[in-house]
Amino acid sequence: MSIRKFRKQMKPFIIVLTVVFILSLAYSGYESFRKSRADKKAQEAMLLNADYVQKIDIERAKQELNNTYKEGVDKSIIDILAFNDVIEKNLTLHLAKDLKIKVPSSEIDKQYQELEASMGDKEQFKRMLQVQGLTKDSLKKKIEENLLIQKTIEQFSKDINPTDEELNSYIALHSLVNADRAKVLESYKFEKGAEKYRIELGKAKKAMTIKELAPEYEALVEKTSYEEEGFAITNLDLAKATIQVMLSKKTTKEEAEKEAKQIISNQIKVAKIAKEKGVSVDENLDMLSQLQEYLLGLSKKVGEDVKPTDKELREFFERYKNRYDILPSADAKLTFINVKPSKEDENLSKQKAEKVLAEVTTQNFEKKGNELKATGEYVYEDLGTFQTGMMVKEFEEAVKDAPSNSIVKKVVKTGYGYHVIFVRENDSKNSKWTASHIMVPTKPSESTIKAKMDKLNKVKSDVEAGVIAFNDKIDEDVIQNIEVKDVSPDGNIPNVGYSPEIAKAIFEAPLNSIKIINNFGPTPTKYTILLVQKTKEVKPELANFEKSKEQVKIDYINLKVAEYMAKLFK
């Protein structure tokens, strides 16, 4: 048979084979796609509008709330709140997209680097991410989403421009007559912006569609739990109210829910009266926010009807006179400096460690360690047994290859100092080691500290002469630069905490001058330094009715409003 004839006869057969092969590929491709889609489907929690929400996102949200509240909160409440958090996050990210809000990659990188730096060790940071099921890219994605949400909420505040009447009403409602008006405006804009955001979010929630919901999440979808006086309370409203009760006192979920319902019932009672008095709220707000707005609206209405006479205000002033005394306070800029060792200091610590290494043996290590520890210049510790990730990278690398019952052949440098390490047991197979160490801490010498103090005294002169500004650029060893306001002599520092030492330093500092304090801190050392510049001081003054009259009127009205509200709940 000729080749040509053979090919002619085989042609139909080849066509059939080709069709079968293509069909088999198509089928196997379909099977692969079906399996892939089935696997993917198993990971999806729901289709929210046009986006698939992953189960892992909801489970992570649950874990984050569990970590926030820890003990004392029922799991079923956590689950409802976490499910809602994921939905609101998704909807907010779409609001950000609609508003054309974007986050520069430089901002994301900056936050990532700050998080990484806070751990002190990049490898330890990487291990922490692995434990949480995150990668560098996924963490950056979370940072981007958080920044988008933050910027979205801020966006709603930008167009808030209250009239003087609106701002004065806000000042009266919150008793802020003596507060900085610029800060009051900032607070007003933030609150009203947050309300606008909640309204837009409420609209988005009403318009959203949830499809293909995984069965395990069906009970978590927001739905009406009960109705009272025409107000529909959802399972989410009830969860939010219940968790507040559980956080304020130790009680069972059942008791907390019962108390939460009573609180909501009281709020509904107020809302009904508010509606009768003409108060209206935006129904796109969630129900708890609506009830809060009714409360504020009623308070405003009642306050507007209170018209105190001058005699009533004077009597009120005399009754609460001490409240209007002007107490001493101060504002200041604080710069904290931690002097770093010089190269000479580093070399000296290394030499001391190498001397120790030359003198110790496995037999005398403990005795020698305790002797050196007693001098106060060295640290000796029995570290017990530790695993990978429990020590800094340099320390772990040093013990990995050292045999059991041996001393690491070289001194090991870490951020804490120079270490001489005795590896008692090396169980590298199970990533476990038992060890002791003698450490020579690396710290600045007297000459290094003197050089720093000389430099800071020059900085002090330049700041006071107006040559340079007082900020975090004045020295390379600055670890923190903050501005504090309304500091009281007793040590209460707003947004910082209680610190009599800092308060004393502030009040002793001359106004607009610089005070340098060495040996500063809870465990003072020569290389901890605080620079203080007092920028404002308010001297104490006894109460004066004429000076305090505006605040007295606001407090009087607020008291009458509080008395009115108290009667409603009897």
Side-chain angles (χ1 to χ4, degrees):
M1 183 183 294
S2 69
I3 295 294
R4 185 172 301 204
K5 188 176 181 183
F6 175 76
R7 284 180 174 171
K8 190 175 181 181
Q9 290 177 349
M10 285 294 293
K11 193 172 182 182
F13 180 66
I14 291 170
I15 292 171
V16 171
L17 277 180
T18 304
V19 171
V20 169
F21 178 66
I22 291 171
L23 286 174
S24 68
L25 280 180
Y27 178 74
S28 62
Y30 168 73
E31 278 298 298
S32 174
F33 169 79
R34 192 173 66 82
K35 186 176 184 304
S36 171
R37 180 68 192 121
D39 290 342
K40 189 178 178 185
K41 192 69 184 167
Q43 303 304 317
E44 291 165 353
M46 61 180 153
L47 178 61
L48 177 61
N49 293 333
D51 298 324
Y52 279 102
V53 175
Q54 303 301 308
K55 290 181 180 180
I56 187 66
D57 293 332
I58 296 174
E59 297 310 314
R60 274 189 182 144
K62 288 180 184 179
Q63 188 59 47
E64 285 170 7
L65 283 182
N66 271 317
N67 292 339
T68 300
Y69 297 122
K70 294 187 179 175
E71 298 177 1
V73 177
D74 190 89
K75 181 181 178 299
S76 63
I77 294 174
I78 291 285
D79 290 353
I80 290 172
L81 295 175
F83 184 81
N84 180 70
D85 283 352
V86 172
I87 287 176
E88 291 192 352
K89 173 186 168 184
N90 185 289
L91 296 176
T92 302
L93 291 174
H94 275 277
L95 282 176
K97 189 176 180 181
D98 293 340
L99 292 168
K100 295 181 171 54
I101 294 171
K102 293 183 180 178
V103 178
S105 58
S106 57
E107 280 189 49
I108 300 167
D109 291 339
K110 183 184 176 185
Q111 279 210 9
Y112 179 88
Q113 287 159 10
E114 286 173 356
L115 282 171
E116 188 178 58
S118 70
M119 291 295 294
D121 181 83
K122 288 187 177 182
E123 288 302 314
Q124 195 171 347
F125 181 68
K126 195 180 292 182
R127 288 193 291 270
M128 183 204 75
L129 291 183
Q130 288 172 350
V131 168
Q132 295 186 6
L134 294 168
T135 63
K136 181 178 180 178
D137 288 340
S138 63
L139 176 59
K140 282 192 171 185
K141 184 67 177 174
K142 283 176 72 73
I143 291 170
E144 180 184 18
E145 289 176 347
N146 288 338
L147 286 171
L148 278 169
I149 291 168
Q150 177 188 323
K151 287 176 180 290
T152 300
I153 297 171
E154 289 171 354
Q155 182 66 33
F156 286 103
S157 300
K158 289 183 178 177
D159 297 328
I160 304 290
N161 294 301
T163 62
D164 285 342
E165 185 182 349
E166 287 171 331
L167 197 58
N168 289 337
S169 177
Y170 179 82
I171 288 169
L173 188 63
H174 297 279
S175 293
L176 299 171
V177 71
N178 292 320
D180 183 292
R181 197 169 178 89
K183 289 200 172 293
V184 172
L185 176 61
E186 186 181 329
S187 177
Y188 179 93
K189 285 169 73 77
F190 176 80
E191 281 189 26
K192 294 300 179 184
E195 183 181 330
K196 279 181 71 175
Y197 159 71
R198 292 199 310 272
I199 289 169
E200 291 305 312
L201 184 61
K203 289 178 182 177
K205 288 181 82 171
K206 284 182 177 180
M208 73 180 180
T209 58
I210 294 177
K211 297 177 181 177
E212 301 177 33
L213 181 65
E216 61 263 42
Y217 299 119
E218 287 176 357
L220 308 183
V221 176
E222 186 174 8
K223 50 186 170 288
T224 300
S225 180
Y226 67 95
E227 290 191 18
E228 183 176 337
E229 301 287 348
F231 292 85
I233 309 302
T234 69
N235 54 341
L236 178 60
D237 296 325
L238 191 55
K240 287 179 179 178
T242 302
I243 200 171
Q244 292 305 315
V245 176
M246 296 190 86
L247 290 172
S248 65
K249 59 175 74 173
K250 286 187 177 180
T251 185
T252 64
K253 178 199 171 187
E254 290 70 28
E255 286 297 318
E257 193 172 282
K258 181 179 177 182
E259 188 170 333
K261 284 183 175 180
Q262 185 56 55
I263 292 169
I264 292 171
S265 185
N266 290 339
Q267 291 175 328
I268 288 172
K269 183 179 178 182
V270 169
K272 284 186 67 182
I273 296 170
K275 288 177 80 171
E276 290 169 2
K277 287 184 174 288
V279 176
S280 61
V281 303
D282 195 306
E283 293 186 356
N284 288 302
L285 288 167
D286 63 273
M287 185 52 68
L288 293 187
S289 295
Q290 286 186 46
L291 294 176
Q292 182 64 23
E293 288 300 312
Y294 276 122
L295 175 64
L296 291 173
L298 180 59
S299 297
K300 186 178 176 183
K301 285 278 187 186
V302 172
E304 288 169 354
D305 293 337
V306 178
K307 309 290 183 186
T309 63
D310 202 61
K311 180 184 176 185
E312 288 171 328
L313 291 180
R314 282 186 177 277
E315 288 174 352
F316 182 87
F317 171 79
E318 291 299 329
R319 195 183 320 153
Y320 299 104
K321 197 170 186 177
N322 291 345
R323 183 188 294 178
Y324 303 101
D325 287 340
I326 297 174
L327 301 176
S329 67
D331 300 347
K333 294 177 180 177
L334 307 175
T335 294
F336 299 88
I337 292 173
N338 195 33
V339 185
K340 292 176 184 173
S342 65
K343 287 184 179 179
E344 290 77 14
D345 299 332
E346 290 270 359
N347 290 335
L348 181 60
S349 294
K350 185 179 181 182
Q351 289 168 18
K352 289 169 74 175
E354 287 173 340
K355 184 174 183 295
V356 172
L357 179 62
E359 295 173 351
V360 293
T361 65
T362 55
Q363 289 78 28
N364 72 2
F365 197 89
E366 183 176 354
K367 181 183 176 185
K368 188 73 175 174
N370 282 316
E371 288 173 356
L372 292 170
K373 182 180 179 181
T375 68
E377 294 295 315
Y378 299 80
V379 173
Y380 169 68
E381 290 177 302
D382 182 351
L383 299 169
T385 300
F386 54 89
Q387 295 177 300
T388 300
M390 295 176 70
M391 297 292 174
V392 294
K393 180 185 177 183
E394 300 91 340
F395 199 98
E396 285 188 359
E397 289 295 325
V399 301
K400 275 182 182 178
D401 299 324
S404 295
N405 197 38
S406 73
I407 294 172
V408 175
K409 293 178 181 179
K410 291 183 179 180
V411 297
V412 178
K413 182 185 178 183
T414 71
Y416 302 100
Y418 287 88
H419 307 254
V420 178
I421 308 170
F422 175 21
V423 180
R424 300 181 183 277
E425 186 177 348
N426 185 330
D427 184 8
S428 294
K429 185 178 178 181
N430 296 305
S431 299
K432 292 167 71 173
W433 300 270
T434 303
S436 300
H437 76 137
I438 298 168
M439 182 180 75
V440 183
T442 305
K443 54 187 178 182
S445 61
E446 292 288 345
S447 60
T448 301
I449 294 167
K450 183 181 182 305
K452 178 64 70 177
M453 289 298 290
D454 289 344
K455 180 186 174 186
L456 291 176
N457 277 308
K458 174 68 169 58
V459 166
K460 168 178 159 53
S461 300
D462 288 345
V463 170
E464 290 172 354
V467 176
I468 62 173
F470 188 83
N471 55 38
D472 59 355
K473 303 293 190 300
I474 60 173
D475 189 85
E476 66 274 11
D477 290 340
V478 170
I479 56 173
Q480 190 178 23
N481 194 72
I482 58 173
E483 193 168 345
V484 293
K485 293 185 177 294
D486 299 322
V487 178
S488 62
D490 63 4
N492 182 36
I493 304 177
N495 302 320
V496 173
Y498 179 71
S499 178
E501 297 91 348
I502 294 180
K504 185 173 184 289
I506 290 170
F507 279 92
E508 287 179 351
L511 191 64
N512 295 321
S513 183
I514 304 290
K515 185 178 178 66
I516 302 176
I517 304 166
N518 205 348
N519 287 352
F520 175 79
T523 53
T525 62
K526 292 178 181 178
Y527 47 88
T528 53
I529 302 173
L530 171 65
L531 272 62
V532 178
Q533 183 185 44
K534 182 164 63 183
T535 55
K536 178 184 174 184
E537 184 172 6
V538 176
K539 300 291 185 182
E541 187 179 328
L542 292 176
N544 178 290
F545 175 72
E546 292 303 328
K547 282 187 177 181
S548 309
K549 189 172 181 179
E550 188 178 350
Q551 183 64 57
V552 171
K553 182 178 179 181
I554 288 170
D555 292 345
Y556 178 91
I557 291 171
N558 285 343
L559 177 64
K560 294 301 177 184
V561 170
E563 289 173 350
Y564 175 88
M565 292 297 183
K567 288 177 183 177
L568 296 181
F569 299 121
K570 280 186 178 180

